[in-house]
Amino acid sequence: MFTGIVRERGRVASAEPNGGGVHLRIAAPETAGATPGDSIAVSGCCLTVTAADGETLEFDAVPETIARTTLGGLEPGAEVNLEPALRAGEPLGGHFVQGHVDGRARVTTLDPEGDGARMRLQLEPGLLRYCVEKGSIAVDGVSLTVAALHEDGIDIALVPFTLEHTTLGALAPGDEVNVEVDLLAKYAERLASA
């Protein structure tokens, strides 16, 4: 379980094909104290640390992960958002995030708005149905609030801190991002349909 509060931007050291998946090495000096077996959200995707040396973390992303996320397109030098798993007693500053990416969205606009920015994401109908104005969504592992709904997507208002401390400030129209819709919305739909 995560909160969507990014702790560090890591840099991909290598991304090697591995049996339909990808073996990732990520330079992450602040998070590299993790040990094998720990869960880390990598741009919103919960991965298990397979090796750590104090400076880098290693992960194996399996074919299912590659099919649903943007991790298969990572190249050396790319930045990723990192968040260690929530530990008992830590504050819940964002919202409940599982690290189970539901799909990808495409950035259609990212425009300055005051000191921050406004980002529009194009979402497929299967993801859009879980979005409500002022509801929660995780984008590349960042806990965010839906500012507005559209027929084909959503707007998100990004504060300066988010732009500076996550990878979202470097996005451009056409970029794909990982999206995890609100867990409570999915459970509510399932219970209502039973």
Side-chain angles (χ1 to χ4, degrees):
M1 185 66 70
F2 305 93
T3 66
I5 303 299
V6 171
R7 301 291 175 88
E8 178 181 14
R9 281 186 304 198
R11 189 168 299 279
V12 176
S14 65
E16 302 291 331
N18 184 11
V22 174
H23 182 79
L24 295 169
R25 284 186 60 246
I26 299 174
E30 295 174 38
T31 310
T35 59
D38 286 352
S39 294
I40 305 284
V42 178
S43 287
C45 182
C46 179
L47 296 178
T48 302
V49 176
T50 59
D53 65 10
E55 290 294 322
T56 60
L57 300 170
E58 296 186 34
F59 306 91
D60 288 311
V62 297
E64 169 71 10
T65 301
I66 299 306
R68 286 190 182 259
T69 72
T70 62
L71 298 186
L74 291 176
E75 295 183 0
E79 285 193 323
V80 291
N81 295 320
L82 299 174
E83 180 190 358
L86 181 66
R87 298 190 189 281
E90 288 183 332
L92 179 62
H95 71 280
F96 288 117
V97 176
Q98 291 184 295
H100 302 166
V101 172
D102 293 303
R104 292 177 283 212
R106 186 169 305 282
V107 177
T108 57
T109 60
L110 182 64
D111 298 317
E113 185 176 64
D115 290 338
R118 193 168 187 96
M119 177 173 61
R120 182 167 290 184
L121 295 178
Q122 182 180 10
L123 291 171
E124 64 173 86
L127 295 177
L128 186 57
R129 72 176 188 230
Y130 296 111
C131 297
V132 296
E133 192 170 316
K134 305 305 177 199
S136 297
I137 192 165
V139 177
D140 274 354
V142 182
S143 176
L144 298 167
T145 302
V146 176
L149 289 171
H150 303 283
E151 287 186 9
D152 65 345
I154 60 173
D155 283 359
I156 296 170
L158 299 171
V159 300
F161 188 90
T162 299
L163 293 170
E164 182 181 344
H165 291 92
T166 73
T167 61
L168 301 187
L171 291 173
D175 288 344
E176 282 194 321
V177 292
N178 296 321
V179 172
E180 181 181 332
V181 297
D182 188 29
L183 170 67
L184 299 177
K186 292 188 286 187
Y187 277 116
E189 178 186 61
R190 177 76 173 147
L191 289 170
S193 67

